[in-house]
Amino acid sequence: MNSKKIISSANRTLTREINSIKNLKSTFNNNFCKAVNIIYNTKGKIVITGVGKSAHIGNKISATLTSTGTPSYFIHATEASHGDLGSIKKEDCVVAISNSGETSELNNIIQFTKRFNIKLISITSNSKSILYKNSTVSILYKKPIEACPLNLAPTSSTTISMIIGDCIAIALLELRGFKSTQFKNLHPGGNLGKDLKNLSEVMHLDKELPIAKLDERMSSALLTMTKKSFGCVGVINKKKQIVGIITDGDLRRKLNSKFFDKKAREIMTKNPTLADKNMLVGEAINLMNTKKITSLFICAKKIPLGIVHIHDLLRMTS
């Protein structure tokens, strides 16, 4: 297959999946709200189950729920019939994923939830199916055309299931008021963990801070700026609060024959952008990009505690 045909195939797949996703808005109805509220009020864990491709999607949904404050685990529907049903408790809630809703391997789980009065939420496209009819609540989506040219391989349907799972997880996250600090505790490793570090964990301290006083001459302030190598100097008042900043840009704009005799207060930019020690690295990078600044002072009531340079943060997350 030549490049043109490959690209044409990819675009066709993309178009079919996008068209399927567009139909999802009608799925977010009263039943979807009921399902979210059932999960929210569940005292136990959320048990996700499925077979085949739905099992892979279920694993992902379960992981997303757990990482965003809703304890969950996955049980393969086939394994459930061979002992894993024993891990489901009365206070749990089961979420079963099946495009057809007629997956025979789910029958034992359905019967188990009925027997012990366990809430069962289904994600399916078939309102006439056994799964739909036996669910406490069913999230019903319009049966999509699979991206597969034979309309057989689960593609569009699995994409829809995953999106529904994400929508449930984020709705729950917002209902719980789940915060970035909690997210950090559950993601201590990897690049995500690095983005979730507080600035207090990575900032430069004490003697490394480039600081000048309001009435300090620029000849002295410039030496400090050069020695500290942050491309700036923070200007403090008598209360040791930062009231201004002098950057490399200020030097270029205001440099003249009288520059070195001027005081820092005459050159500085007032009310610089400051950060709190609890700000996350990811947030700081976003702030610095938005403000188009390369260094950021971390302060408590405007008193400098530390400083970070954009390069420090980018190296840490790369």
Side-chain angles (χ1 to χ4, degrees):
M1 187 182 290
N2 60 35
S3 297
K4 187 175 180 180
K5 288 184 178 180
I6 291 172
I7 292 171
S8 176
S9 173
N11 283 327
R12 185 168 57 252
T13 298
L14 179 62
T15 299
R16 286 180 179 174
E17 296 214 15
I18 288 174
N19 288 338
S20 297
I21 292 168
K22 285 180 179 178
N23 292 323
L24 261 180
K25 284 191 175 181
S26 61
T27 300
F28 304 132
N29 51 26
N30 192 46
N31 269 14
F32 179 82
C33 294
K34 285 181 180 179
V36 170
N37 279 312
I38 286 173
I39 295 173
Y40 179 74
N41 291 307
T42 295
K43 294 181 180 179
K45 294 186 177 181
I46 309 305
V47 183
I48 312 294
T49 188
V51 177
K53 303 299 185 295
S54 293
H56 295 296
I57 298 302
N59 255 310
K60 188 272 178 189
I61 293 172
S62 178
T64 301
L65 286 170
T66 298
S67 70
T68 52
T70 300
S72 173
Y73 63 95
F74 175 80
I75 290 181
H76 196 284
T78 302
E79 296 301 322
S81 301
H82 296 277
D84 282 1
L85 281 174
S87 65
I88 304 175
K89 308 301 180 185
K90 287 186 177 181
E91 64 271 21
D92 293 340
C93 170
V94 175
V95 178
I97 306 168
S98 173
N99 184 37
S100 69
E102 293 288 351
T103 307
S104 60
E105 290 90 342
L106 287 172
N107 289 345
N108 286 334
I109 287 183
I110 294 172
Q111 292 171 15
F112 186 84
T113 59
K114 290 289 186 183
R115 188 185 314 148
F116 294 101
N117 197 29
I118 296 169
K119 294 286 194 300
L120 173 62
I121 296 170
S122 61
I123 300 175
T124 182
S125 69
N126 187 359
S127 62
K128 297 180 180 180
S129 65
I130 292 172
L131 177 60
Y132 178 90
K133 292 177 181 178
N134 287 280
S135 298
T136 309
V137 175
S138 184
I139 298 174
L140 185 69
Y141 57 87
K142 183 178 179 181
K143 186 175 179 63
I145 297 173
E146 302 291 4
C148 163
L150 302 175
N151 196 28
L152 294 174
T155 44
S156 300
S157 57
T158 49
T159 298
I160 284 175
S161 295
M162 184 161 65
I163 290 174
I164 290 173
D166 286 343
C167 291
I168 291 171
I170 301 307
L172 289 165
L173 179 151
E174 293 175 350
L175 280 172
R176 297 186 195 287
F178 195 72
K179 300 184 183 300
S180 57
T181 49
Q182 295 168 279
F183 200 79
K184 176 187 174 183
N185 291 335
L186 300 175
H187 298 77
N191 284 338
L192 186 54
K194 294 174 184 176
D195 273 359
L196 292 170
K197 282 184 177 293
N198 297 119
L199 290 184
S200 60
E201 299 177 69
V202 300
M203 65 187 183
H204 298 270
L205 304 168
D206 303 327
K207 294 181 179 180
E208 295 181 87
L209 298 183
I211 298 295
K213 296 178 181 178
L214 276 170
D215 293 322
E216 190 171 330
R217 291 189 181 277
M218 280 307 302
S219 55
S220 173
L222 185 56
L223 287 175
T224 299
M225 185 186 298
T226 303
K227 182 179 179 181
K228 305 296 183 179
S229 301
F230 284 99
C232 70
V233 62
V235 183
I236 58 173
N237 59 18
K238 292 181 179 179
K239 295 180 180 179
K240 297 186 178 180
Q241 298 171 315
I242 287 189
V243 292
I245 192 170
I246 301 170
T247 66
D248 287 334
D250 293 319
L251 300 184
R252 288 191 295 271
R253 286 188 294 271
K254 299 179 181 181
L255 188 61
N256 56 42
S257 59
K258 297 181 181 180
F259 177 83
F260 295 103
D261 291 326
K262 288 187 176 182
K263 296 178 179 179
R265 66 166 71 239
E266 299 177 77
I267 304 297
M268 72 180 191
T269 298
K270 295 180 180 179
N271 301 316
T273 300
L274 305 175
D276 181 84
K277 66 179 181 179
N278 294 319
M279 179 179 282
L280 302 179
V281 167
E283 291 177 301
I285 291 174
N286 182 55
L287 175 64
M288 294 168 83
N289 283 331
T290 301
K291 296 289 187 178
K292 296 182 180 179
I293 57 178
T294 57
S295 292
L296 184 63
F297 279 97
I298 295 89
C299 301
K301 296 182 179 180
K302 292 190 175 184
I303 296 175
L305 306 174
I307 187 172
V308 291
H309 193 280
I310 188 71
H311 290 163
D312 296 328
L313 307 185
L314 293 176
R315 274 196 299 269
M316 194 179 75
T317 58
S318 65

